Amino acid sequence: MKKIFNLETKNLVGREVVLFGFVNSIRDHGKLFFFDLKDRSGIVQCVISQENNYFGSVKEIKNQSVVMVKGQVQQRPPHLANPHLPTGKVEVVINEIQILSQPKTLPFEVDSDGYEIDEALRLKYRYLDLRRARLQNNLRKRHEFLLFIRNFLDAHGFIEIETPILTKSTPEGARDYLVPSRIYPGKFYALPQSPQQYKQLLMVAGLERYFQIARCFRDEDPRGDRQPEFTQLDMEMSYVNRDDILSLVEKMFVEVINQLYPQKRIKTYPFPRLTYEEAISIYGSDKPDLRNDPNDPNELAFAFIVDFPMFEVVNDKLETMHHPFTQPRLPDGKSDRDALFNALEKSPESLLSEQYDLVLNGYEIGGGSIRTTDPEILIKVFEILGHERGEVEEKFGHLLEAFSYGVPPHGGIAPGIDRILMILNNEPNIREVIAFPKTGEGRDLMMNSPSEIEKKQLDELSIQIRQVEN
Amino acid sequence: MKKIFNLETKNLVGREVVLFGFVNSIRDHGKLFFFDLKDRSGIVQCVISQENNYFGSVKEIKNQSVVMVKGQVQQRPPHLANPHLPTGKVEVVINEIQILSQPKTLPFEVDSDGYEIDEALRLKYRYLDLRRARLQNNLRKRHEFLLFIRNFLDAHGFIEIETPILTKSTPEGARDYLVPSRIYPGKFYALPQSPQQYKQLLMVAGLERYFQIARCFRDEDPRGDRQPEFTQLDMEMSYVNRDDILSLVEKMFVEVINQLYPQKRIKTYPFPRLTYEEAISIYGSDKPDLRNDPNDPNELAFAFIVDFPMFEVVNDKLETMHHPFTQPRLPDGKSDRDALFNALEKSPESLLSEQYDLVLNGYEIGGGSIRTTDPEILIKVFEILGHERGEVEEKFGHLLEAFSYGVPPHGGIAPGIDRILMILNNEPNIREVIAFPKTGEGRDLMMNSPSEIEKKQLDELSIQIRQVEN
């Protein structure tokens, strides 16, 4: 007899089966004892009568006991069938049962959706929280979504390439997480905010079509629905223009949603393309919510926002709206290198850029751009951002030098996986679609991390804790 | 006219095409000018004659120039065909050519295999090194291998689940890489040596079949062919025995190798299973090379090694041969909890374990085990390893507590992807199958990492460099 999944019992009336799972919904009817057995495929009702030798031991089982059941699948009488359950027409008559693990009382119910439970408690006991059907479904959908995308991109000539997690601190963007080096005292690795430089270097290498389901890290201040580490679909292509990239992304999302979320309706296809100026002037936002009915959980309103300004003023300083690697563009659309340099010198705020964002239901779910491959323009952009030429060459010298060995024109995009799955699964925040999320303040309540470490570890790393002066 | 890949030209005689790529092998024959154009699909010969308007500008191209070519595909005369090239029967007669990027002289050849070039130089210019057909093929095979495995495991009911990279320092195993927390001064995250605890907690959550192509980190001393970060296929299953896991792994490797490496021959199938004692006594090694001819690049000799001792003596101290989560087993094979505790107390060296290793051509390419799910046995094992009960509860309390809420019996395995691909691609070390490897001493010569960081960054993290006393 071979172990089968609970769901398979529905087609196995009359057969002997072996099942494993967690006990749910115990109903003790005196001479008959019922419970639901739950495994990853679903639930099946099990029943044992007092004539059976195991009737005594079955009385010991509790909600969430882990058991092995040997028994026979039988049809339920029609009036006792459960139409809400795929296995609702059958039940398993127990011949033998073994209790594999006995639970103490759980800190909360796991049969509900769980929204009503204090989230800190849920995160502390995440391994129990994940017993919920809702969260298991979210994880399964996440798996299916990412696998679909991998196969889609493979079929479109992309290859997935793993880039390093231990990399180098660079001055652009947000704050880096740092990793002290033991072998080189006083030196540090940084965790990547994104694989931006690596993917551009892969284009220099001639790989042409790269993607990666990539882990990214940003040490930001606690703010809203963020995580210290998050997942993005990182992509880069050579010899393409903006529309090649946007069309591919559009096709990918339409196909994956049709396949995995058939109940969802994409409002407009092809996705509308709005300029930044149109978005701001019509909707007052560069991530407008274009749904007809924001209360409809099945409406998906995608849009691309294009023609962003290259720079914006933040705290009296110029910053790039996207990032420094984005190709700036003259407002008249002409591609004249001298005129571009002139504008970078004299009126950088007037420049547009080859940035594009993907927006869904009022969220920015991805951004990208055609890149600058001209080292002099890249240096100029960094200078406008306030970096010294020497610093740029020290921090980005390898990229600037790479571009001097022949560089295919290239561009890319990086949709954020957590946010997209949050929307597709109708969840209120990204923590619901991440297996082991941290709190908004970056704590892992289950592992109790970050945590203190041993002095020996600090010594090995040649660092010490700086005492804060009071 | 649409951009096509070079390889497609072989079936497009008479058609107008647009091609992009790097220039290779320039041959200037006076009135005729030839070069090979290389893109990710391969090479096609391009030719331009002096009558063409672009004949002047084509003289500017160099080896590794990036160009766009518009032209017409024509059949080569039979005696000029190149039988070694898929596109060897055709050539592209250039109508128009644009130079998109001009290279300065490369620091080394990229047409060769590259083994002869100083590796430090190759790693510094990895983005050029990766232009080699050999390395591009290694990356493509890596992509195909991992995608095949993902689809295989999906078809076998597994789901891929991403576990955190920012996690907690634990006392078992090798040295952790640490990440100082800015928000919690004096506290640290650790990078995972493997997702071991997370995958076991996913079994407690009832996910039953987990896998992940997982990044793992170990801060080890420079030793042989190691990397600070590496990739493993991390798997865990509930309600299975050793043979269920080994059979699945065996099937997976046979299928992926038949599909992607049809020239390889698997010497013995099913894979032989040797006990540790047999392996040591017959071959003098627990990772024996079972090939008939170690010089045959296409022979693959897999084996499983089973029945390992639970503990080994290292520097006069008991250590686990695998890891503390492995289920110990009485030498007589009986499963008697009291007898097991007794043996753990009195003669731990006598115990075997539920560990198994996968061996290929003399390399250990993966290890795993059936896990201890009894918290008291796990604590006992940690005590034998020299950890205080209090420390174990502080560091592993969440796992011990998790097991008290009902835990399915479970086990797993974690084949090392880098090593397997090294063997399958006939490479001498794992750096050849990793896109951006570090040196044996953990340096990234391209990014120049680890590197010094700004004092401001240290201050924000509340740490300082400890000055080494001379």
Side-chain angles (χ1 to χ4, degrees):
Chain A
M1 257 186 312
K2 214 172 123 67
K3 168 192 182 326
I4 62 158
F5 285 124
N6 289 341
L7 186 62
E8 298 175 73
T9 57
K10 68 178 178 174
N11 302 318
L12 294 176
V13 171
R15 296 273 288 277
E16 299 278 332
V17 295
V18 182
L19 306 172
F20 288 84
F22 289 89
V23 170
N24 275 250
S25 312
I26 296 169
R27 286 95 69 198
D28 187 345
H29 290 191
K31 295 177 186 175
L32 284 174
F33 188 96
F34 293 88
F35 61 86
D36 289 348
L37 187 69
K38 187 179 169 217
D39 72 8
R40 60 194 295 280
S41 74
I43 278 172
V44 68
Q45 176 169 292
C46 297
V47 57
I48 187 168
S49 70
Q50 62 181 6
E51 290 78 34
N52 187 291
N53 286 338
Y54 288 89
F55 194 71
S57 67
V58 92
K59 298 271 180 174
E60 289 169 29
I61 69 167
K62 304 192 261 187
N63 188 32
Q64 301 296 312
S65 287
V66 178
V67 299
M68 190 251 348
V69 164
K70 290 185 184 173
Q72 189 158 27
V73 184
Q74 73 175 20
Q75 200 94 38
R76 297 195 211 177
H79 66 286
L80 294 178
N82 179 347
H84 304 297
L85 216 58
T87 61
K89 290 182 177 167
V90 302
E91 62 189 358
V92 174
V93 181
I94 296 172
N95 295 328
E96 184 185 335
I97 181 165
Q98 279 180 29
I99 300 175
L100 304 175
S101 179
Q102 281 288 52
K104 63 183 188 192
T105 305
L106 271 58
F108 47 63
E109 279 292 325
V110 297
D111 297 334
S112 68
D113 272 345
Y115 294 119
E116 74 287 0
I117 301 165
D118 173 46
E119 196 184 7
L121 194 66
R122 287 178 52 207
L123 291 178
K124 179 175 179 189
Y125 296 98
R126 188 62 162 182
Y127 50 85
L128 300 177
D129 198 37
L130 289 176
R131 287 186 187 170
R132 284 174 217 296
R134 174 175 68 90
L135 292 184
Q136 296 209 351
N137 182 58
N138 286 354
L139 293 184
R140 186 167 295 120
K141 283 288 189 196
R142 184 176 182 117
H143 159 70
E144 290 170 357
F145 186 89
L146 293 178
L147 188 61
F148 187 100
I149 281 179
R150 285 185 156 108
N151 283 309
F152 176 93
L153 291 174
D154 173 73
H156 286 76
F158 286 76
I159 71 173
E160 185 165 16
I161 299 175
E162 300 149 86
T163 57
I165 299 289
L166 290 170
T167 176
K168 181 174 171 167
S169 189
T170 54
E172 103 285 9
R175 203 182 283 108
D176 287 322
Y177 282 104
L178 298 175
V179 182
S181 164
R182 180 177 55 87
I183 299 179
Y184 304 95
K187 299 198 173 186
F188 292 75
Y189 302 100
L191 306 185
Q193 294 182 29
S194 81
Q196 183 66 32
Q197 292 187 54
Y198 288 106
K199 70 177 175 176
Q200 294 198 237
L201 291 168
L202 288 169
M203 297 303 104
V204 176
L207 270 306
E208 291 186 31
R209 294 193 179 191
Y210 146 91
F211 82 100
Q212 182 181 196
I213 309 293
R215 208 72 64 86
C216 305
F217 305 84
R218 289 181 197 171
D219 184 6
E220 294 179 301
D221 289 320
R223 174 154 66 98
D225 188 18
R226 302 259 182 126
Q227 287 282 308
E229 54 184 304
F230 56 95
T231 301
Q232 71 185 28
L233 165 57
D234 197 49
M235 297 168 62
E236 198 78 7
M237 302 172 76
S238 291
Y239 312 122
V240 291
N241 60 34
R242 181 184 82 186
D243 289 343
D244 294 327
I245 295 174
L246 300 191
S247 300
L248 182 87
V249 167
E250 192 172 72
K251 182 164 182 263
M252 177 177 71
F253 279 117
V254 168
E255 287 190 18
V256 69
I257 289 165
N258 284 344
Q259 177 75 29
L260 297 180
Y261 298 89
Q263 74 281 19
K264 301 273 179 185
R265 294 179 312 278
I266 293 170
K267 186 188 164 200
T268 314
Y269 178 80
F271 303 163
R273 296 183 190 187
L274 302 171
T275 67
Y276 176 83
E277 200 175 286
E278 285 167 348
I280 294 291
S281 66
I282 304 173
Y283 302 100
S285 167
D286 61 356
K287 42 187 179 184
D289 188 345
L290 301 178
R291 284 177 291 180
N292 291 329
D293 175 8
N295 294 315
D296 177 355
N298 288 328
E299 186 179 14
L300 295 174
F302 285 96
F304 288 115
I305 314 297
V306 299
D307 293 348
F308 279 81
M310 180 71 189
F311 298 98
E312 61 184 335
V313 179
V314 180
N315 299 330
D316 289 333
K317 256 190 65 191
L318 279 184
E319 293 192 358
T320 46
M321 278 197 91
H322 189 47
H323 57 50
F325 307 104
T326 300
Q327 171 71 43
R329 189 158 59 80
L330 290 166
D332 62 9
K334 287 187 185 150
S335 55
D336 177 326
R337 191 170 184 263
D338 290 338
L340 186 58
F341 265 100
N342 195 45
L344 282 166
E345 283 287 350
K346 295 191 180 138
S347 56
E349 334 71 55
S350 73
L351 289 168
L352 298 180
S353 81
E354 296 288 356
Q355 175 189 353
Y356 32 80
D357 276 2
L358 177 58
V359 165
L360 171 59
N361 291 6
Y363 290 94
E364 184 216 315
I365 59 164
S369 64
I370 301 296
R371 321 301 184 185
T372 298
T373 49
D374 183 328
E376 287 304 317
I377 292 177
L378 193 53
I379 290 174
K380 189 79 218 159
V381 169
F382 273 113
E383 284 176 352
I384 291 171
L385 299 176
H387 300 288
E388 303 280 335
R389 194 177 180 104
E391 181 198 7
V392 173
E393 283 175 351
E394 137 71 12
K395 296 283 186 182
F396 296 98
H398 51 284
L399 194 64
L400 298 171
E401 187 172 14
F403 288 172
S404 72
Y405 293 111
V407 51
H410 60 277
I413 192 166
I417 294 301
D418 306 301
R419 184 85 46 207
I420 293 167
L421 288 168
M422 176 194 92
I423 297 170
L424 292 176
N425 292 315
N426 303 318
E427 291 291 3
N429 66 65
I430 60 173
R431 296 182 296 282
E432 304 294 341
V433 297
I434 296 173
F436 296 104
K438 296 191 173 56
T439 65
E441 293 78 36
R443 285 190 63 200
D444 181 331
L445 298 176
M446 182 182 77
M447 290 288 191
N448 189 23
S449 168
S451 63
E452 283 166 15
I453 58 168
E454 294 174 28
K455 176 155 187 313
K456 173 167 164 282
Q457 291 176 288
L458 288 176
D459 289 347
E460 283 187 324
L461 297 174
S462 306
I463 59 172
Q464 56 197 33
I465 312 292
R466 196 167 51 86
Q467 297 308 320
V468 180
E469 291 147 32
N470 287 312
Chain B
M1 256 186 313
K2 213 172 124 65
K3 167 192 182 328
I4 63 158
F5 286 122
N6 289 341
L7 187 61
E8 298 174 72
T9 57
K10 68 178 178 173
N11 303 318
L12 295 176
V13 171
R15 295 272 288 277
E16 299 279 332
V17 296
V18 182
L19 306 173
F20 289 84
F22 290 89
V23 170
N24 273 252
S25 312
I26 296 169
R27 285 96 68 200
D28 188 344
H29 290 190
K31 296 178 186 174
L32 284 173
F33 188 96
F34 293 88
F35 61 86
D36 289 348
L37 187 68
K38 186 181 169 215
D39 71 8
R40 61 194 294 282
S41 74
I43 278 172
V44 69
Q45 176 170 293
C46 297
V47 58
I48 187 167
S49 68
Q50 62 181 5
E51 290 78 33
N52 188 292
N53 286 338
Y54 289 88
F55 194 71
S57 65
V58 91
K59 298 270 180 175
E60 290 169 28
I61 69 168
K62 304 191 261 188
N63 188 32
Q64 301 295 312
S65 288
V66 178
V67 299
M68 191 251 343
V69 165
K70 290 185 186 174
Q72 189 158 26
V73 185
Q74 73 174 19
Q75 201 95 38
R76 297 195 211 177
H79 66 285
L80 294 177
N82 179 348
H84 304 297
L85 215 58
T87 61
K89 290 182 178 169
V90 303
E91 62 190 357
V92 175
V93 181
I94 296 172
N95 295 327
E96 184 186 335
I97 181 165
Q98 279 180 30
I99 300 175
L100 303 175
S101 180
Q102 282 287 52
K104 61 183 189 193
T105 304
L106 271 59
F108 46 64
E109 279 292 324
V110 298
D111 296 334
S112 67
D113 273 344
Y115 295 119
E116 74 287 2
I117 301 165
D118 173 46
E119 196 185 6
L121 195 66
R122 287 179 52 206
L123 291 178
K124 178 174 180 191
Y125 296 98
R126 187 62 162 181
Y127 49 85
L128 300 176
D129 198 37
L130 289 176
R131 287 186 187 169
R132 283 174 217 296
R134 173 175 67 89
L135 292 184
Q136 295 209 351
N137 182 58
N138 285 354
L139 293 183
R140 186 167 296 121
K141 282 287 187 197
R142 185 177 181 118
H143 160 70
E144 290 170 358
F145 186 90
L146 293 178
L147 188 62
F148 186 99
I149 281 180
R150 286 185 156 108
N151 283 309
F152 176 94
L153 290 174
D154 174 74
H156 286 75
F158 286 76
I159 70 173
E160 184 165 17
I161 299 175
E162 300 149 87
T163 56
I165 298 288
L166 291 171
T167 177
K168 182 176 171 165
S169 189
T170 55
E172 104 284 9
R175 203 182 284 108
D176 287 322
Y177 281 104
L178 297 175
V179 182
S181 164
R182 181 177 54 87
I183 300 180
Y184 304 95
K187 299 198 172 184
F188 292 74
Y189 301 99
L191 305 185
Q193 294 181 29
S194 81
Q196 184 66 32
Q197 291 187 54
Y198 289 106
K199 70 176 174 177
Q200 293 198 237
L201 290 168
L202 288 169
M203 297 302 105
V204 177
L207 270 306
E208 291 185 31
R209 293 192 180 192
Y210 146 92
F211 82 99
Q212 184 181 195
I213 308 295
R215 208 71 66 85
C216 303
F217 305 85
R218 289 182 198 171
D219 185 6
E220 293 179 302
D221 289 320
R223 175 153 66 97
D225 187 18
R226 303 259 181 127
Q227 287 282 308
E229 53 184 304
F230 57 94
T231 301
Q232 70 185 30
L233 165 56
D234 197 49
M235 297 169 60
E236 198 77 8
M237 302 173 76
S238 291
Y239 311 124
V240 291
N241 59 34
R242 181 184 81 185
D243 288 342
D244 294 327
I245 295 173
L246 300 191
S247 300
L248 182 88
V249 167
E250 191 172 72
K251 181 164 183 264
M252 178 177 71
F253 280 117
V254 169
E255 288 191 15
V256 69
I257 288 165
N258 284 344
Q259 177 74 31
L260 298 180
Y261 298 89
Q263 74 281 18
K264 300 273 179 185
R265 294 179 313 278
I266 294 170
K267 185 189 165 200
T268 315
Y269 178 79
F271 302 163
R273 296 184 190 187
L274 301 171
T275 67
Y276 175 82
E277 200 175 286
E278 285 167 348
I280 295 292
S281 67
I282 303 173
Y283 302 99
S285 166
D286 61 357
K287 41 187 179 184
D289 188 344
L290 302 177
R291 285 176 291 181
N292 289 329
D293 175 7
N295 293 316
D296 176 357
N298 288 327
E299 185 179 14
L300 296 174
F302 285 97
F304 288 116
I305 314 296
V306 300
D307 294 348
F308 279 81
M310 180 71 189
F311 298 98
E312 61 183 334
V313 178
V314 179
N315 299 331
D316 289 334
K317 256 190 63 190
L318 279 184
E319 293 192 359
T320 45
M321 278 197 91
H322 189 46
H323 56 53
F325 307 105
T326 300
Q327 172 70 44
R329 191 158 58 79
L330 290 166
D332 62 9
K334 287 188 185 149
S335 55
D336 177 327
R337 191 170 184 263
D338 290 339
L340 185 57
F341 265 101
N342 196 44
L344 282 165
E345 282 288 350
K346 296 190 180 139
S347 55
E349 333 71 56
S350 73
L351 289 168
L352 297 180
S353 82
E354 296 288 356
Q355 175 190 353
Y356 32 80
D357 276 4
L358 176 58
V359 165
L360 171 59
N361 291 6
Y363 290 95
E364 183 216 317
I365 60 165
S369 64
I370 301 295
R371 320 302 183 186
T372 298
T373 49
D374 183 328
E376 287 304 317
I377 291 178
L378 193 52
I379 290 174
K380 189 78 218 159
V381 169
F382 272 112
E383 284 176 352
I384 291 170
L385 299 176
H387 300 287
E388 302 280 334
R389 193 176 181 105
E391 181 198 7
V392 174
E393 283 175 352
E394 137 71 11
K395 296 283 185 183
F396 297 99
H398 51 282
L399 194 65
L400 298 170
E401 187 173 14
F403 288 172
S404 72
Y405 292 112
V407 50
H410 60 277
I413 192 166
I417 294 300
D418 306 301
R419 185 84 46 205
I420 293 168
L421 287 168
M422 175 194 93
I423 297 169
L424 293 176
N425 291 315
N426 303 318
E427 291 290 3
N429 66 65
I430 60 173
R431 296 182 296 282
E432 303 294 341
V433 297
I434 296 173
F436 296 104
K438 296 189 174 57
T439 66
E441 293 77 37
R443 284 189 64 200
D444 181 332
L445 298 176
M446 181 182 77
M447 291 288 192
N448 190 22
S449 169
S451 63
E452 282 166 16
I453 58 168
E454 293 174 28
K455 177 157 187 313
K456 173 167 164 280
Q457 291 176 287
L458 288 176
D459 289 347
E460 284 187 323
L461 297 174
S462 305
I463 59 173
Q464 56 197 32
I465 312 293
R466 197 168 50 86
Q467 296 307 321
V468 180
E469 291 146 32
N470 287 312

